[in-house]
Amino acid sequence: MRRLGILLLIIALYALMVPAYPLELRTEDGVRLIGAVLEVEKLDGEKITVTLGAEGAVTIREVPLGILKVRIVEWKNIPLGYEYTVTPRNSTIIVPGIYRVSVFVQGSRGQALSGARVRIYYGGVPVEEGITTDGLYTTLLPQGEYRIEAVYADRISETTLKVEAPREARITLDVFVEIGGLPLTQAEFITIIIIVALLILGIYILLYEYGAWRRKRLLARLAPSS
């Protein structure tokens, strides 16, 4: 009987524990929150701070009744503070308030600038950086106010964006055209056109004057024999 009681006690304790409890975080459109920092509290009061790895998930061991109190502290160094109670029936946490943001970087003619560097700041702290493709850089950001900076060669421009829903930011840099990979403003481009035109005109005048001089010299040589 004693052994039976011990066995039943072990079974009861095991039923109160989940040996390995998978925990996963996603946005409302299904993107995993890789790198999110969580504070996990078990029913027995034990607290754990974890960072989600490349899979956007983590396994918590020895969870009484399979219930956890989870607080998402931050993601991309941006505070979230979202709290959620996890049970065996809902181990995937859908985190609200994270939206898709598109940043379009263009030149002064509205042309897309591929290869522009986009830097995103929250509270003055850089939280993300990337490169545009066909002028576009797309990311996910928690709701909040951001400063977005675009850099192309030595040209820099920025804007602020308040994210409360999916948003698009458009940043214009003073790039009128590129020649040999060198970005030029409209004034610089016009200056180069004028310089080139003056050079061509100067070369034409020199050639014309040289031709006239050659003709005069030839006529001077032919005059005595006449």
Side-chain angles (χ1 to χ4, degrees), residues 15 17-18 21-22 63-68 85-92:
M17 309 291 289
V18 176
Y21 196 95
V63 181
L65 298 177
I67 297 175
L68 292 170
T85 299
V86 176
T87 69
R89 294 184 178 181
N90 59 349
S91 60
T92 298

Side-chain angles (χ1 to χ4, degrees), residues 183-210:
L184 301 172
T185 66
Q186 186 175 14
E188 292 168 340
F189 178 69
I190 292 173
T191 300
I192 289 175
I193 294 297
I194 293 173
I195 292 172
V196 171
L198 290 174
L199 285 173
I200 292 173
L201 179 61
I203 292 170
Y204 174 79
I205 292 172
L206 286 174
L207 290 175
Y208 178 82
E209 292 294 332
Y210 177 72

Side-chain angles (χ1 to χ4, degrees), residues 101 106 113 116 142 159 177:
V101 174
Q106 63 183 16
L113 295 179
T159 187
V177 71

Side-chain angles (χ1 to χ4, degrees), residues 69-130:
K69 294 180 180 179
V70 179
R71 178 174 175 268
I72 296 94
V73 180
E74 62 180 37
W75 183 54
K76 296 184 177 181
N77 294 320
I78 303 167
L80 292 177
Y82 179 68
E83 297 183 357
Y84 191 82
T85 299
V86 176
T87 69
R89 294 184 178 181
N90 59 349
S91 60
T92 298
I93 303 175
I94 305 300
V95 183
I98 297 177
Y99 304 104
R100 189 166 298 277
V101 174
S102 300
V103 181
F104 186 76
V105 182
Q106 63 183 16
S108 57
R109 295 184 292 110
Q111 75 276 25
L113 295 179
S114 291
R117 185 171 298 277
V118 174
R119 299 189 181 106
I120 300 174
Y121 297 82
Y122 179 83
V125 178
V127 296
E128 188 170 339
E129 183 174 314

Side-chain angles (χ1 to χ4, degrees), residues 26-31 94-99:
R26 292 179 182 267
T27 64
E28 292 177 326
D29 56 357
V31 179
I94 305 300
V95 183
I98 297 177
Y99 304 104

Side-chain angles (χ1 to χ4, degrees), residues 104-111 113 116-117 149-158 170-177 183-185:
F104 186 76
V105 182
Q106 63 183 16
S108 57
R109 295 184 292 110
Q111 75 276 25
L113 295 179
R117 185 171 298 277
E149 179 183 85
V151 182
Y152 190 75
D154 60 345
R155 312 301 159 93
I156 302 175
S157 186
E158 65 178 47
R170 189 172 292 265
I171 300 177
T172 301
L173 296 173
D174 194 6
V175 177
F176 183 73
V177 71
L184 301 172
T185 66

